[in-house]
Amino acid sequence: MAGGNQTSIFEFLLWGLSERPEQQHILFLLFLWMYIVTVAGNLLIVLAIGTNAHLHTPMYFFLASLSCADILFTSTTVPKALVNIQTQSRSISYAGCMVQLYFFLTFGDMDIFLLTTMAYDRYVAICHPLHYRMIMNPRHCTLMVTACWTLTNLVAMTHTFLIFRLSFCSKKVIPDFFCDLGPLMKVSCSDTHINELVLLFLGGAVILIPFMLILVSYIHIVSAILRVPSVQGRHKAFSTCGSHIAVVALFFGMVIRAYLCPSSSSSNSVVEDTAAAVMYTVVTPLLNPFIYSLRNKDMKGALGRLLRGKVSFSGQ
């Protein structure tokens, strides 16, 4: 069936989270709990930052943007997976699959770019503290986030358009619980050589260039921190960066495993790929609120005031 002639009648079948019927009820409850906690936790971070004037700084502006992206990122895949488990259906329409792919790539890449922006923010704050207010002023921060959204949309549109031109055989099972580039190329009946090249070079650039920039930023940050004479000063600097390093390591580790490490079409490989996908699409957004709030006194204080109903929209 040609990509240009496919209609909403055409459907894919998703492999899902597990093929074992006895596990479906447990998986439904587990993923429903994780989704609720993810949305609630990230929403609390956004509200805590938005309602506390003391947190209206570049670092927390980027953190609030990351929390918004995480809510949207998780909402792209998990609700559909929950519906499929509950209805005992593995189908997704062709149009629904393309829409899910586009938004998944958009919000997933947004996470990557925001984590890079946050690393740059910490680099400027620690390595160039005297110029921090000038470099990371509100206008520059807004421009950086706008640039991130623009780049993610361009990348997502490129990949989605290239997938749209492929042909798919009916009743093909996508080896994942959502529509992603690699699994879709595996079930295509047409030549995917161009898609694979674009995924290798464009996808590799979107993942590896930000990762290298983060790595370089933290090499400079660690070097600067080690030169701080005060033990208390070093501890404070490391504590502000520790949570970001933990999130970066978890997220990029799983993304690199999923996109840049080859996998076969065997059953064991599908299970491993699905597990890796769950880690960066569900577990990382779930852990982010805990990692950033538990390691940050300002966030813990803001969340405490928010939950007690004490909010301040001004600096007084």
Side-chain angles (χ1 to χ4, degrees), residues 79-97:
K80 176 59 178 174
L82 292 173
V83 169
N84 282 6
I85 293 174
Q86 187 66 16
T87 59
Q88 298 182 354
S89 168
R90 297 192 296 167
S91 66
I92 182 170
S93 68
Y94 176 79
C97 187

Side-chain angles (χ1 to χ4, degrees), residues 221-235:
I221 288 170
V222 171
S223 177
I225 291 174
L226 292 176
R227 291 196 298 268
V228 175
S230 167
V231 175
Q232 185 178 0
R234 288 199 299 269
H235 176 73

Side-chain angles (χ1 to χ4, degrees), residues 108-109 112-113 116 151-152 155 159 200-211 252:
D109 289 345
I112 292 174
F113 292 142
T116 309
L151 283 173
T152 57
V155 172
H159 285 303
L200 178 64
F201 290 104
L202 181 58
V206 167
I207 296 170
L208 292 180
I209 291 177
F211 181 71
F252 276 91

